[in-house]
């Protein structure tokens, strides 16, 4: 008889079947508790259980909790699959938002109703935004999909869960007049703040993400051709501190042309940093970073954002974030009627659909302008020509 059973009570039997070994050589065991009236019936249940195990219809997750499996998932999946920033976000989401309510459940016992109740709690009790709820649910769904793939469960309980409708918010950005005012105000800055002027202006005219901006090295900039190569990022995350990484996606590795005014600013910044190097002497740290502190070390990744917010407040300008400067850059490209695919490539989006989903309102306005120009150019011109006959 393959496997074995142990009587644990008046009519309770614990079945155990061994099926091969894992990559470490440890035996893989499956267990199941059944209620039988006799040992003979337990033998029959054990034979049926063996067939189920052999055919792969029995999950491995009978005695593993959501908490324990999440830890395994972080180690065996997330650590090798995602970037450090995403890994830290996953860790926080699991620890703070998933485990307190679902972590004690056994993996195989988690039901759709319990997940729906968790989602409803996030919406109604925690008052979280729909997008945030979607993000947290997505992490749980990915964990359960992996559990299914690894044979721990036979069905993903996250299927058919009702989620809140995502709110469609227009990306905030500066209009043309505000951009001009921003540039004029930046020009009045003292030399002490010059690197911040360069950082803000560069973001405005390239659409670089904050991490991409802070990851720039002089070797990534061709000042003769006016081209920036985005090849790394530098960011801060509470779980990792300051770290460097590759760009967000493969499409994020890109070359961006910059206006001559930005080239001039970068050349001036390089001269100022060269003078500072001579002034500091042996205390200088050669990092190659474009944005440095007074000793040549890369500037703390959050410093430009902190400075920018303070600058806007002091000058009584509408508050926007560094990322909304990226939105402003996109609005500038749409205003110039650049091709949508070109815009997507310049922003480093992995798909055109990403660009369209975020900036639909910008392109709708641009399309309206194009139709008005066509009307003016062709229909009104034709009418005028007809009237001259």
């Amino acid at each position: 008889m393959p496997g074995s059973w142990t009587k644990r009570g008046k009519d309770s039997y614990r079945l155990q079947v061994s099926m091969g070994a894992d990559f470490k050589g440890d035996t893989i065991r499956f267990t199941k508790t059944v209620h039988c009236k006799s040992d003979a019936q337990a033998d029959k249940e054990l034979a049926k259980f063996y067939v189920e195990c052999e055919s792969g219809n029995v999950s491995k997750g009978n005695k593993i909790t959501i908490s324990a499996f999440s830890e395994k998932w972080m180690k065996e999946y997330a650590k090798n699959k995602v970037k450090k920033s995403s890994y830290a976000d996953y860790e926080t989401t699991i620890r703070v938002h998933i485990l307190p309510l679902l972590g004690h459940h056994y993996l195989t016992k988690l039901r759709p109703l319990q997940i729906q109740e968790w989602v409803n709690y996030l919406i109604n009790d925690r008052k979280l935004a729909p997008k945030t709820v979607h993000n947290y649910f997505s992490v749980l769904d990915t964990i359960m999909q992996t559990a299914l793939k690894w044979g721990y469960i036979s069905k993903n309980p996250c299927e058919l869960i009702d989620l809140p409708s995502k709110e469609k918010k227009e990306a905030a950005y500066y209009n043309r007049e505000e951009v001009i005012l921003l540039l004029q105000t930046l020009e009045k800055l003292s030399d002490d703040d010059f690197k911040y002027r360069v950082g803000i202006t560069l973001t405005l005219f390239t659409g670089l993400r904050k991490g991409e901006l802070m990851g720039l090295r002089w070797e990534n900039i061709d000042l003769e051709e006016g081209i920036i190569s985005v090849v790394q990022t530098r960011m801060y995350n509470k779980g990792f501190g300051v770290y460097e990484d590759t760009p967000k996606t493969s499409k994020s590795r890109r070359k961006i042309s910059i206006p001559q005014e930005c080239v001039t600013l970068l050349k001036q910044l390089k001269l100022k940093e060269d003078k500072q190097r001579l002034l500091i002497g042996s205390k200088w740290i050669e990092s190659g970073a474009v944005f440095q502190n007074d000793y040549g070390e890369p500037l703390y990744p959050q410093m430009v954002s902190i400075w920018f917010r303070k600058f806007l407040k002091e000058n009584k300008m509408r508050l926007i974030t560094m990322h909304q400067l990226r939105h402003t850059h996109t609005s500038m490209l749409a205003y110039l009627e650049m091709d949508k695919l070109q815009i997507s490539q310049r922003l480093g989006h992995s798909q055109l659909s990403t660009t369209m989903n975020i900036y639909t309102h910008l392109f709708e306005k641009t399309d309206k302008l194009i139709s008005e120009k066509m009307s003016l150019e062709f229909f009104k011109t034709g009418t005028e020509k007809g009237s001259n006959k």
Side-chain angles (χ1 to χ4, degrees), residues 64-326:
I64 188 170
T65 62
I66 299 295
S67 179
F69 184 77
S70 296
E71 183 177 345
K72 185 178 184 66
W73 180 82
M74 288 291 288
K75 180 181 177 182
E76 304 294 343
Y77 176 87
K79 189 174 182 179
N80 302 306
K81 283 281 188 179
V82 302
K83 295 187 176 298
K84 289 181 180 179
S85 56
S86 296
Y87 182 88
D89 289 343
Y90 285 162
E91 191 278 330
T92 301
T93 296
I94 292 169
R95 174 172 48 82
V96 178
H97 304 289
I98 295 177
L99 296 190
L101 292 170
L102 301 176
H104 64 284
H105 290 285
Y106 284 118
L107 190 62
T108 55
K109 300 296 183 180
L110 187 62
R111 298 291 180 258
L113 176 59
Q114 293 161 328
I115 297 173
Q116 187 66 64
E117 289 173 340
W118 171 68
V119 167
N120 293 344
Y121 168 78
L122 296 179
I123 300 168
N124 301 321
D125 293 73
R126 295 284 305 281
K127 308 296 183 184
L128 298 181
K131 182 180 179 182
T132 303
V133 175
H134 276 260
N135 291 342
Y136 293 165
F137 173 80
S138 178
V139 175
L140 178 64
D141 185 35
T142 304
I143 290 172
M144 301 308 289
Q145 286 178 27
T146 307
L148 177 64
K149 184 169 66 176
W150 288 352
Y152 280 86
I153 56 177
S154 57
K155 188 176 181 180
N156 182 358
C158 288
E159 294 177 1
L160 304 178
I161 298 298
D162 292 322
L163 296 173
S165 299
K166 287 185 180 180
E167 300 171 347
K168 290 188 176 180
K169 292 184 178 180
E170 292 189 0
Y173 58 93
Y174 272 177
N175 59 34
R176 183 175 180 275
E177 289 71 26
E178 288 173 310
V179 168
I180 293 171
L181 176 61
L182 174 61
L183 293 173
Q184 290 173 342
T185 310
L186 286 170
E187 286 180 3
K188 300 174 185 177
L189 290 172
S190 66
D191 281 353
D192 292 340
D193 290 325
F194 187 76
K195 58 176 167 279
Y196 297 111
R197 175 189 173 188
V198 177
I200 299 305
T201 306
L202 207 57
T203 302
L204 185 61
F205 285 94
T206 62
L208 286 173
R209 300 177 177 94
K210 183 171 66 175
E212 294 170 344
L213 179 77
M214 302 312 295
L216 283 178
R217 298 191 184 106
W218 286 113
E219 64 190 49
N220 307 140
I221 302 178
D222 185 337
L223 292 173
E224 294 302 316
E225 297 295 328
I227 295 175
I228 287 176
S229 296
V230 181
V231 296
Q232 72 268 319
T233 62
R234 193 167 189 274
M235 296 181 283
Y236 168 81
N237 186 286
K238 190 175 180 180
F240 291 96
V242 177
Y243 66 95
E244 288 192 356
D245 204 347
T246 54
K248 190 174 182 180
T249 66
S250 59
K251 292 291 181 69
S252 296
R253 293 179 64 94
R254 62 201 188 279
K255 293 182 183 295
I256 304 174
S257 60
I258 56 176
Q260 186 58 45
E261 289 78 4
C262 288
V263 172
T264 301
L265 287 174
L266 284 166
K267 287 180 177 180
Q268 291 173 357
L269 180 63
K270 188 73 171 66
L271 286 173
K272 289 179 184 297
E273 291 179 355
D274 289 342
K275 289 179 181 178
Q276 182 68 8
R277 181 189 292 105
L278 292 174
L279 182 65
I280 293 297
S282 61
K283 294 181 181 179
W284 182 262
I285 298 169
E286 196 63 61
S287 67
V290 173
F291 298 99
Q292 308 169 350
N293 63 21
D294 290 342
Y295 293 90
E297 296 174 306
L299 200 63
Y300 180 65
Q302 303 295 82
M303 278 304 296
V304 176
S305 294
I306 295 170
W307 181 91
F308 185 49
R309 183 174 181 82
K310 181 182 176 184
F311 165 81
L312 293 179
K313 283 185 174 180
E314 288 177 348
N315 289 280
K316 295 180 173 55
M317 299 178 68
R318 182 161 63 93
L319 294 180
I320 65 171
T321 64
M322 289 290 291
H323 197 72
Q324 287 164 345
L325 277 180
R326 176 173 160 86

